Amino acid sequence: QEDRLVKFLGVRKRMFTVYEKHKDELDAMSKKKQGDIGDLTTGIGVFNELRSTQAQALADVEMSEAEYAFLVQEIYKSMMGSAVAEESGGKSVSQVAGETYDAAADSVAKARQAAEQADAQAQKGEGNLTPEQRKMLADTRDAARKTMEDLQKGTGDLQKQASQMRENARALDAPPANIALYRKYETEIKKYAMGGLEWMGL
């Protein structure tokens, strides 16, 4: 809901003030090959300050940590959904994922059809061949039939994978309304992004 997203962004703005204040320190720490006790102390101090700011901001807007975490997750899904839709002409993540496998299955099916047609053509001209040539053709046909069997199996496997991929990718689909809301507030969402902190529950 838009009103909850606005409150979420208010929380992020307050946290970002703390993050920005310590950004140079955090950047310097991230560039070191090996940290020291001072870095650990600084890191813990910044984390605690961010955590304290987050807790107070959440209390002020009457938002639980569970709702905050849910909004983080939905915003990332909407971000990905927005990017995929722009690249694919409005398609969802699951549609694009499934179509990728569908295209692969179609290519395998066409290769199988071409092999079957080549085998049929070879059989038509078999009467004009010498015994040695017929033997070579028979060996080639056996190998071709094995290849066609593999292609048939491959087509079935890819079709199953396409179906499974669509099902799995549906969890990554964002409702169109969420994507529209993300785009409306995209500038602010990106402005208050604090890379990596979400993995620490922030």
Side-chain angles (χ1 to χ4, degrees):
Q1 298 298 316
E2 185 168 4
D3 63 326
R4 302 309 290 172
L5 176 60
V6 170
K7 290 183 183 298
F8 169 88
L9 287 172
V11 174
R12 295 290 284 189
K13 182 178 181 179
R14 286 170 63 175
M15 292 173 64
F16 187 77
T17 301
V18 176
Y19 176 80
E20 198 171 34
K21 182 173 67 174
H22 296 287
K23 192 172 185 307
D24 290 341
E25 297 170 73
L26 295 171
D27 286 345
M29 286 165 52
S30 68
K31 291 174 183 175
K32 287 185 178 180
K33 291 184 179 179
Q34 185 172 352
D36 54 31
I37 295 297
D39 293 330
L40 180 61
T41 302
T42 298
I44 292 174
V46 173
F47 176 83
N48 287 338
E49 188 175 352
L50 280 165
R51 172 62 80 185
S52 176
T53 301
Q54 180 194 50
Q56 186 58 58
L58 289 174
D60 291 344
V61 299
E62 299 181 344
M63 179 179 289
S64 68
E65 289 191 10
E67 183 182 2
Y68 177 89
F70 169 78
L71 286 169
V72 169
Q73 175 183 321
E74 292 305 307
I75 286 169
Y76 273 108
K77 282 170 59 174
S78 300
M79 182 186 296
M80 180 168 58
S82 176
V84 169
E86 286 180 2
E87 291 291 328
S88 65
K91 294 175 183 175
S92 68
V93 174
S94 61
Q95 285 175 318
V96 171
E99 286 175 3
T100 299
Y101 274 89
D102 284 341
D106 185 56
S107 295
V108 172
K110 286 178 179 177
R112 190 187 74 245
Q113 289 171 0
E116 289 171 348
Q117 289 171 0
D119 183 52
Q121 288 295 324
Q123 288 183 46
K124 286 180 182 179
E126 192 171 344
N128 301 322
L129 300 178
T130 65
E132 291 80 9
Q133 289 173 327
R134 287 195 187 95
K135 172 69 169 59
M136 290 176 61
L137 182 60
D139 292 342
T140 302
R141 185 177 294 126
D142 287 342
R145 283 174 179 158
K146 175 65 171 64
T147 299
M148 283 188 281
E149 288 173 5
D150 291 342
L151 287 171
Q152 178 69 43
K153 183 178 182 299
T155 302
D157 289 344
L158 284 169
Q159 287 171 340
K160 288 179 183 176
Q161 289 170 10
S163 177
Q164 188 62 50
M165 179 59 72
R166 277 194 180 88
E167 191 63 35
N168 293 342
R170 282 195 184 99
L172 300 175
D173 285 342
N178 284 14
I179 293 176
L181 201 54
Y182 164 78
R183 288 174 176 169
K184 180 177 179 180
Y185 290 92
E186 183 174 0
T187 300
E188 287 180 80
I189 289 170
K190 290 182 175 179
K191 179 179 178 180
Y192 301 131
M194 294 170 279
L197 294 185
E198 291 83 359
W199 299 107
M200 297 189 290
L202 297 171

